Amino acid sequence: DAARLLPGDVSHFLIDMDGDALVSARELSESYNIEADRMQTEQLNVITDNKKLVSRIRQFKPNIVDAMGLFEYLESKDASMLLRSIYEHLPVGGSIFFTNMLPSHPHLAVHRRGMGWPGVIVREEREVIEICEQAGLPVGNTTVLRPSDGVYAVYEVLK
């Protein structure tokens, strides 16, 4: 839905290590009437195949990178490396968006136990900002949104 707010033709390039997630994304894109030539997918582990990720970013030249829902599964050093890899190759004026679950999540135990995600890494805002600094991202270009539900903080870093 958000892509409809952007001016001009919007192209999508979805990368995920889960092939089923990519199949679902293609099906969902059809329900939103996204033309097939405007939707690319690739199964890729963005950490172990980081050079390939960088190659795809250089080829696709995205203005917006959405990495929401990923950082809860990354150790700090991997999160920093991923942010650096993406940010370095964004055009000026581009943005990266990502989230990290907060320790204040009111149903964290459900996520960890009930949904079978025991390895979820929660972080306070200051911890995520430290990761951004380690990645060389300009903290002054970082916006943090903290919805009142206390589940996630949403970050945007503008280049």
Side-chain angles (χ1 to χ4, degrees):
D1 287 343
R4 293 181 181 145
L5 301 174
L6 301 172
D9 293 326
V10 176
S11 295
H12 308 268
F13 191 164
L14 293 118
I15 296 174
D16 201 302
M17 62 187 277
D18 181 347
D20 291 337
L22 294 172
V23 169
S24 294
R26 278 216 170 269
E27 291 170 357
L28 186 60
S29 72
E30 291 170 11
S31 73
Y32 279 94
N33 298 316
I34 297 172
E35 298 172 20
D37 65 336
R38 296 260 175 221
M39 171 66 101
Q40 298 177 52
T41 61
E42 183 165 351
Q43 189 170 352
L44 182 69
N45 182 317
V46 296
I47 301 302
T48 60
D49 297 321
N50 190 261
K51 288 182 182 179
K52 196 169 187 179
L53 170 68
V54 168
S55 173
R56 295 301 179 264
I57 293 170
R58 286 180 179 157
Q59 290 171 345
F60 192 72
K61 299 180 176 115
N63 288 309
I64 297 172
V65 173
D66 173 347
M68 293 188 202
L70 178 60
F71 285 73
E72 292 80 13
Y73 303 97
L74 300 178
E75 295 295 331
S76 294
K77 68 178 186 63
D78 289 335
S80 175
M81 182 265 301
L82 181 61
L83 284 172
R84 182 181 313 107
S85 297
I86 295 170
Y87 190 81
E88 284 179 351
H89 298 94
L90 280 176
V92 172
S95 292
I96 178 170
F97 291 87
F98 62 98
T99 57
N100 210 132
M101 197 175 290
L102 295 163
S104 60
H105 185 326
H107 304 291
L108 184 56
V110 173
H111 265 90
R112 288 192 164 147
R113 293 181 190 93
M115 296 180 75
W117 297 342
V120 166
I121 301 169
V122 297
R123 295 183 177 99
E124 292 288 356
E125 181 180 324
R126 66 175 167 67
E127 294 173 279
V128 175
I129 295 300
E130 287 172 7
I131 291 170
C132 291
E133 289 174 334
Q134 291 166 1
L137 277 61
V139 176
N141 289 3
T142 303
T143 301
V144 183
L145 302 173
R146 288 183 69 120
S148 61
D149 63 7
V151 177
Y152 286 95
V154 181
Y155 301 83
E156 177 197 13
V157 184
L158 177 66
K159 185 159 186 186

